[in-house]
Amino acid sequence: QVQLVESGGDLVQPGGSLRLSCAASGSIFNIVAMGWYRQAPGKQRELVATITSGGSTNYADSVKGRFTISRDNGKNTVYLQMNSLKPEDTAVYFCNLQKIPPIGGRYSYWGQGTQVTVSS
């Protein structure tokens, strides 16, 4: 019952920047974390960055110092600022949301992805 819509993917040159957005709607209660994952051709999906409900962030080693995850609670939106992009950053980027209802359980939701291509 949660919908996630990503936007901002594009074709950029190496060293360039992009800002991805993920807007959440629906039953957006009891959210514990949101994050970004990516899947490159021929590879499995991997974690890029996460942000908890308390604001704590975590990053994959490959993007530390280059990517920044943030949120706007008023707009139910999470962002991924990507700087100093490299060709190896090329992938489909997926937004993820996790929630834990008061009755228990843990649920995960995914967006449909947005393409990021880094090439000259």
Side-chain angles (χ1 to χ4, degrees):
Q1 201 174 8
V2 173
Q3 295 81 45
L4 302 173
V5 180
E6 303 101 329
S7 63
D10 206 349
L11 169 65
V12 297
Q13 297 183 188
S17 298
L18 279 177
R19 190 191 191 201
L20 305 183
S21 299
C22 173
S25 61
S27 184
I28 48 176
F29 304 103
N30 306 304
I31 298 172
V32 296
M34 294 185 69
W36 290 93
Y37 295 71
R38 67 186 182 187
Q39 187 167 19
K43 298 183 179 180
Q44 294 190 336
R45 190 173 300 184
E46 64 177 350
L47 183 148
V48 177
T50 61
I51 184 167
T52 69
S53 60
S56 298
T57 59
N58 289 284
Y59 299 91
D61 289 341
S62 59
V63 306
K64 287 182 179 178
R66 300 189 298 120
F67 291 10
T68 302
I69 188 170
S70 61
R71 66 182 183 184
D72 185 334
N73 291 333
K75 297 181 178 180
N76 298 314
T77 301
V78 64
Y79 305 94
L80 185 68
Q81 179 66 47
M82 305 185 295
N83 299 324
S84 302
L85 283 162
K86 306 174 181 179
E88 49 263 47
D89 294 318
T90 296
V92 178
Y93 284 70
F94 297 90
C95 181
N96 172 261
L97 181 151
Q98 293 186 315
K99 60 187 295 184
I100 300 178
I103 59 174
R106 191 180 187 97
Y107 300 89
S108 182
Y109 303 87
W110 295 92
Q112 294 188 350
T114 185
Q115 177 71 49
V116 172
T117 302
V118 184
S119 176
S120 59

